């Protein structure tokens, strides 16, 4: 009896080991097939690839231009591509960058999960990957540099609860495929939870916004207005683009400027709406700081230099070395000392189209 059990155990362990070896073999074969052979450079220049999700929003144009400026000021080159929110296109564009002989890849993922494939392929070609602003999940990412997105959500909820400590709240989230949208929501609920538990705040609508578009946010807000029969006291929108859609829907019901709305990014239109009274606040993230940090680290890593120890953020697979910068809450009282003082927007631009 005992011998039978030992044999049985032996067989179970042996078949487990064989299965593991088979999986490993299969992975090696797939890796071999997928492996991109990068072009060999004939000079010692440093080339950084920058794979962006989209250029549709105001902030990403700024990210693109400032990142190029920063990388070039460090004597390196940058190749930039944008995927228009298309996962397959982002993967093929990144593959093209890898084969073109870049030294390091910086990526703004459209889809936090889908882009893990890019990290894997870059590594097979011996190229390190930095996630820019948005985390790549479940990948052996080399570095993640962003703003503290949970803090962004906390800032939004603190600003709105200071004005509306009781009432019906609508949450217009970002894209479900973007890890930042989840972090923002986490931050928002960190602040709202005690209010909800006391029964002071009711979440009457809470929805993600596909691809963060104003049009989808507007549709969500119309649905929120419809299902609540307009009984809404405050809205937390994930960014200024979605806040724009929300405010259009509110305006159609004569509620713009009456229902407080939070956003993020300090987009020109968002700041103008704060001045005109249609939007309550935004969260300013100095993009120049982000581009400077990423450019500095990307060029150093591409040169094979040691970079300092970082914070860690878990991406579902590893603890990713990370740098998280601090966002700044902006309302009608500190526009001057924040976005204008920083040269993010000029006061002419901010005040030109508003009534003030
Ligand atoms: C960024 C936001 C941006 C949003 C939509 C997020 O990942 O952190 O700044 O507004 O994407 O593009």
């Amino acid at each position: 009896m005992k011998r039978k059990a030992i044999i049985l155990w032996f067989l179970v362990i042996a078949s487990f080991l064989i299965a593991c070896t088979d999986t490993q073999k299969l992975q090696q074969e797939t890796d071999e097939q997928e492996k991109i052979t990068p072009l060999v450079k004939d000079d010692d220049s440093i080339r950084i690839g920058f794979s962006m999700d989209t250029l549709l929003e105001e902030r990403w144009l700024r990210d693109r231009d400032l990142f190029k400026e920063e990388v070039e000021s460090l004597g390196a080159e940058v190749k930039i591509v944008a995927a228009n929110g298309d996962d397959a296109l982002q993967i093929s564009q990144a593959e093209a960058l890898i084969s073109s002989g870049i030294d390091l890849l910086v990526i703004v993922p459209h889809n936090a999960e889908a882009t893990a494939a890019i990290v894997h392929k870059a590594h097979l070609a011996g190229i390190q990957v930095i996630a820019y602003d948005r985390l790549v999940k479940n990948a052996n990412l080399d570095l993640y540099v962003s703003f503290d997105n949970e803090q962004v959500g906390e800032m939004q909820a603190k600003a709105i609860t200071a004005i509306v400590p009781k009432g019906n709240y609508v949450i217009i989230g970002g894209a479900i495929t973007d890890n930042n949208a989840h972090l923002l929501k986490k931050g928002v609920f960190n602040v709202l939870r005690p209010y909800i538990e006391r029964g002071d705040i009711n979440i009457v609508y809470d929805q993600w916004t596909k691809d963060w578009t104003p049009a989808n946010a507007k549709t969500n807000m119309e649905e929120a207005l419809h299902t609540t029969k307009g009984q809404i006291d405050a809205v937390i929108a994930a960014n200024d683009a979605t806040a724009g859609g929300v405010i259009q829907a509110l305006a159609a019901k004569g509620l713009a400027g009456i229902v407080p709305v939070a956003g993020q990014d300090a987009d020109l239109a968002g700041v103008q709406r704060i001045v005109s009274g249609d939007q309550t606040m935004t969260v300013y993230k100095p993009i120049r700081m982000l581009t400077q940090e990423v450019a500095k680290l990307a060029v150093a890593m591409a040169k094979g230099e040691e970079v300092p120890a970082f914070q860690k953020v878990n991406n579902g697979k590893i603890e990713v070395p990370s740098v998280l910068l601090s966002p700044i809450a902006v309302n009608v009282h500190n526009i001057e000392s924040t976005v204008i003082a920083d040269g993010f927007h000029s006061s002419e631009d901010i005040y030109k189209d508003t009534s003030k």
Side-chain angles (χ1 to χ4, degrees), residues 245-261:
V246 163
I247 290 165
Q248 276 178 26
L250 287 172
K253 298 280 176 201
L255 292 172
I258 294 173
V259 176
V261 178

Side-chain angles (χ1 to χ4, degrees), residues 34 36 41 81 96 102 120 126 129 183 203 206 208 215 243 255 266 286 289 302 306 314 326 355:
E34 286 189 349
I36 300 169
K41 285 188 298 185
V81 288
I102 53 166
H120 185 62
V129 184
L183 295 173
I203 305 296
D206 177 0
W208 303 105
L255 292 172
M289 273 170 62
E306 280 285 313
N314 191 295
S326 299
S355 50

Side-chain angles (χ1 to χ4, degrees), residues 53-54 57 59-60 133-134 146 149 178 180-181 211-212 238-241 264-265 285:
D53 160 21
T54 176
E57 276 155 47
R59 72 151 286 182
W60 299 115
D133 194 73
R134 299 175 177 169
S146 185
N149 291 286
D178 179 347
N180 286 349
D211 286 338
W212 300 84
N239 68 353
D240 288 343
Q264 172 199 192
D265 284 339
K285 300 186 293 187

Side-chain angles (χ1 to χ4, degrees), residues 1-15:
M1 186 63 200
K2 217 171 161 191
R3 238 179 85 189
K4 248 189 183 170
I6 291 172
I7 292 171
L8 207 67
W9 268 112
F10 175 78
L11 287 175
V12 169
I13 292 168
S15 47

